[in-house]
Amino acid sequence: MRIAIVCYPTFGGSGVLATELGKALADKGHQVHFITYQPPVRLSEFNANIFYHEVRVPNYPLFDYPPYETALASTMVDVIVNNNIDLLHVHYAIPHASAAYMAKKILEKQGKILPVITTLHGTDITLVGKDKTFAPVVTFSINESDAITAVSQNLRDETYNNFKIEKEIKVIQNFVDVKRFRKKPIDAFRRVIAPHNEKVILHASNFRKLKRVTDVVKVFAEIIKKVPSKLLFVGDGPERPAAESLARELGIYDETRFVGRQEQIEEVLAISDLFILPSDYESFGLAALEAMAAGVPVISSNAGGLPEVNIEGETGYLADVGDVETMGIRAIELLSDEDKLDRFKARAAAHARLFDIETIVPRYEALYNRFLQNI
Ligand code: GMT
């Protein structure tokens, strides 16, 4: 198959998922064309079946707001015609689904039928999409997609609850390449981070308000009273200064390390004992799944699709959003009992295997095939 994929090329979960999907499809012999405004972050290795097409938005003095969506739709048409693309798969509805609709209509005029699949990822529905400014276009373009998928049951329900969707939304949960996350810890790295064999607590995100990074600091402040430990922050974003100043205020800054964005997150996970994700909402929580694949249990909020990923009392613990006290108690319970921690680590890894790339990617292929047979 020749598949075009549109996504955000940044560190966000939707872009990561779309890129990993494209790579997996290319490994299976499909030709994959990424259409984005810069190369996707996880697209670092050469693969003969992968093509990258940059969306260029010309600068013109009249444009206070460069018309990205128009440029994207035009690039889609160009790539689809010139590479004989069979199917367009867009990740994150805004503005990708409406640009796809435009491209589909243009191509129809030229006699080409283009199946469009839209995968909903989270904030395109729950935060941004719900906004009155976007809602009519989001509703329309989702309904005009030939197939709609959501990354969790919760996101599917949220979409039906918030928009008038007339079509079936198929749940295809996010996946992880389990093999990639089965890493042995690099001893020298662990010694640098935790020189006295302290426990390593990890949080990784884009540090947006919704991630509640200051809650991570508060939970850690409880943990460190009982368990010698270090806190590692991976990623960057607007709430980092707030997290840093709270850590200073609580006198735990020296036990905390901000390592910025990391492409090799598996190396960091390999030295970690516990992952904390206290978000206001996660449609799924891909970062938690990646942690579990590396055998790292998760303390998370019970918001959105997180209970579909992190299983209470098995792969970690869940608490209400903002309940840092319970999160702290559960974390201490786990970290101060080696046998229990080992059991949780093993179960986290086992549960992550249910979301293995080899199980989930064929579900996308089956969906693609359904449309290609109809042309
Ligand atoms: O919130 C993020 O980290 C970014 C965001 C995105 O769209 O890139 O992530 C969303 O998609 C991920 C992949 O499907 C999910 O794992 C995240 O839970 C989801 N984020 C939210 O729902 C807030």
Side-chain angles (χ1 to χ4, degrees):
M1 277 183 246
R2 284 178 297 271
I3 304 150
I5 292 182
V6 176
C7 63
Y8 281 100
T10 48
F11 272 93
S14 61
V16 166
L17 196 280
T19 311
E20 296 295 349
L21 174 62
K23 283 168 26 182
L25 291 167
D27 284 343
K28 292 181 125 187
H30 302 294
Q31 203 180 86
V32 178
H33 293 255
F34 283 97
I35 307 175
T36 57
Y37 57 82
Q38 67 188 31
V41 281
R42 286 220 183 156
L43 198 63
S44 41
E45 288 149 35
F46 175 77
N47 184 318
N49 286 336
I50 294 183
F51 299 78
Y52 165 66
H53 308 270
E54 189 165 304
V55 181
R56 287 195 194 87
V57 190
N59 217 343
Y60 183 67
L62 184 67
F63 298 154
D64 276 344
Y65 301 98
Y68 177 69
E69 195 172 336
T70 307
L72 174 61
S74 298
T75 311
M76 283 173 176
V77 171
D78 182 65
V79 170
I80 287 157
V81 169
N82 289 314
N83 297 281
N84 211 7
I85 297 293
D86 298 312
L87 181 141
L88 174 62
H89 189 172
V90 302
H91 291 259
Y92 203 93
I94 303 170
H96 303 150
S98 44
Y101 170 75
M102 175 72 98
K104 185 183 171 75
K105 286 290 155 191
I106 294 169
L107 290 162
E108 240 172 60
K109 289 257 184 228
Q110 300 174 13
K112 179 163 173 86
I113 307 280
L114 177 76
V116 171
I117 296 180
T118 298
T119 292
L120 308 172
H121 278 274
T123 46
D124 45 352
I125 294 300
T126 55
L127 221 68
V128 192
K130 261 201 287 198
D131 189 317
K132 265 211 317 267
T133 330
F134 299 114
V137 173
V138 171
T139 311
F140 176 80
S141 52
I142 291 177
N143 276 320
E144 287 296 323
S145 303
D146 295 286
I148 312 155
T149 76
V151 299
S152 66
Q153 188 62 40
N154 171 270
L155 185 60
R156 175 184 183 272
D157 297 345
E158 285 286 330
T159 310
Y160 280 129
N161 291 342
N162 290 293
F163 299 89
K164 232 173 146 247
I165 301 298
E166 295 139 9
K167 286 196 170 146
E168 185 207 340
I169 302 176
K170 194 177 170 59
V171 175
I172 301 184
Q173 287 175 309
N174 283 334
F175 60 82
V176 65
D177 182 356
V178 164
K179 284 194 296 298
R180 178 182 155 193
F181 286 87
R182 251 188 246 135
K183 282 260 167 202
K184 283 217 167 0
I186 301 173
D187 287 340
F189 180 32
R190 198 182 157 105
R191 273 198 302 275
V192 169
I193 300 297
H196 304 292
N197 211 19
E198 295 93 336
K199 293 283 185 252
V200 177
I201 320 296
L202 177 67
H203 171 81
S205 77
N206 49 28
F207 288 57
R208 295 204 192 111
K209 196 125 196 129
L210 166 147
K211 301 289 174 183
R212 300 183 74 94
V213 285
T214 49
D215 279 6
V216 177
V217 177
K218 289 178 194 162
V219 174
F220 181 64
E222 290 308 308
I223 296 174
I224 203 167
K225 285 180 196 161
K226 298 278 164 64
V227 183
S229 43
K230 298 282 182 186
L231 173 61
L232 265 187
F233 273 113
V234 169
D236 216 329
E239 287 296 296
R240 177 175 166 170
E244 286 193 73
S245 68
L246 182 63
R248 275 197 201 93
E249 207 180 289
L250 297 175
I252 53 174
Y253 187 76
D254 288 348
E255 318 309 322
T256 304
R257 200 148 169 163
F258 292 81
V259 294
R261 295 189 179 110
Q262 296 288 322
E263 286 197 25
Q264 304 299 316
I265 185 72
E266 61 273 26
E267 305 290 1
V268 185
L269 283 163
I271 63 152
S272 301
D273 297 289
L274 188 67
F275 189 82
I276 305 188
L277 192 63
S279 312
D280 277 326
Y281 179 81
E282 290 291 341
S283 65
F284 183 88
L286 187 58
L289 178 62
E290 292 190 338
M292 285 161 51
V296 180
V298 174
I299 300 277
S300 72
S301 64
N302 53 16
L306 281 169
E308 295 173 50
V309 181
N310 183 21
I311 309 301
E312 168 73 13
E314 286 200 21
T315 63
Y317 289 106
L318 298 104
D320 289 342
V321 172
D323 185 356
V324 289
E325 198 189 326
T326 303
M327 291 182 194
I329 292 169
R330 292 309 208 179
I332 292 163
E333 237 175 79
L334 256 183
L335 294 168
S336 42
D337 179 342
E338 270 325 311
D339 288 345
K340 189 171 186 172
L341 183 59
D342 283 346
R343 282 198 302 278
F344 272 70
K345 285 185 176 184
R347 284 199 299 250
H351 188 62
R353 285 199 283 276
L354 300 179
F355 300 84
D356 189 34
I357 194 164
E358 288 186 14
T359 310
I360 307 288
V361 171
R363 297 191 60 201
Y364 280 112
E365 282 178 294
L367 182 66
Y368 297 166
N369 274 321
R370 223 172 74 199
F371 286 97
L372 296 186
Q373 275 151 19
N374 289 341
I375 294 180

